Amino acid sequence: MAVFFGEQNLTEILCILAFTILLEAFSLAQRAVLVKKLQFKLISKIEIFSIFFSSCFGILLALNDFGVFSLVFKTTLQIILTTSLYWTLHPLKINFFSSFLLATTKK
């Protein structure tokens, strides 16, 4: 695909962005619980904080001639910050065994 688009770094960029998709999956449960509890204030604080600091980081990288990698690293940092803040501010205790038992006993 890198040859088709004429971009040498496309393979590296796609590998990094694929990792961020996997990383973002770790914050979806916390965000869903917060939405269910209508805690939009906490969600907005987490999102705004991570967007602000990752954007500042991306601008600094762009000013230092990192090119397209400034956007890639900005996105990666944003997802790392968001996921870590969700896990820090709203940790979930997931018990897969009890969920499995409930599902089997309801039948």
Side-chain angles (χ1 to χ4, degrees), residues 4 12 23 37 41 43-44 58-61 68 77 100:
F4 178 76
E12 297 166 356
L23 187 62
K37 293 181 179 180
K41 188 174 183 179
I43 294 171
S44 64
I59 290 170
L60 287 174
L61 289 178
V68 72
L77 179 64
F100 177 73

Side-chain angles (χ1 to χ4, degrees), residues 26-27 29-31 33-35 37 39-50 80-93:
F26 288 106
S27 68
Q30 280 84 1
R31 189 176 192 285
V33 170
L34 288 173
V35 168
K37 293 181 179 180
Q39 294 184 354
F40 297 112
K41 188 174 183 179
L42 180 60
I43 294 171
S44 64
K45 285 179 182 179
I46 290 171
E47 297 288 335
I48 290 171
F49 179 82
S50 61
I80 289 171
L81 284 173
T82 303
T83 302
S84 61
L85 285 172
Y86 275 128
W87 275 94
T88 303
L89 298 176
H90 193 265
L92 284 181
K93 294 180 178 110

Side-chain angles (χ1 to χ4, degrees), residues 49-60:
F49 179 82
S50 61
I51 289 171
F52 177 75
F53 282 106
S54 64
S55 296
C56 291
F57 182 72
I59 290 170
L60 287 174

Side-chain angles (χ1 to χ4, degrees), residues 6-21:
E7 181 65 40
Q8 301 165 358
N9 299 325
L10 188 60
T11 305
E12 297 166 356
I13 292 169
L14 289 177
C15 287
I16 294 170
L17 291 178
F19 171 72
T20 60
I21 292 172

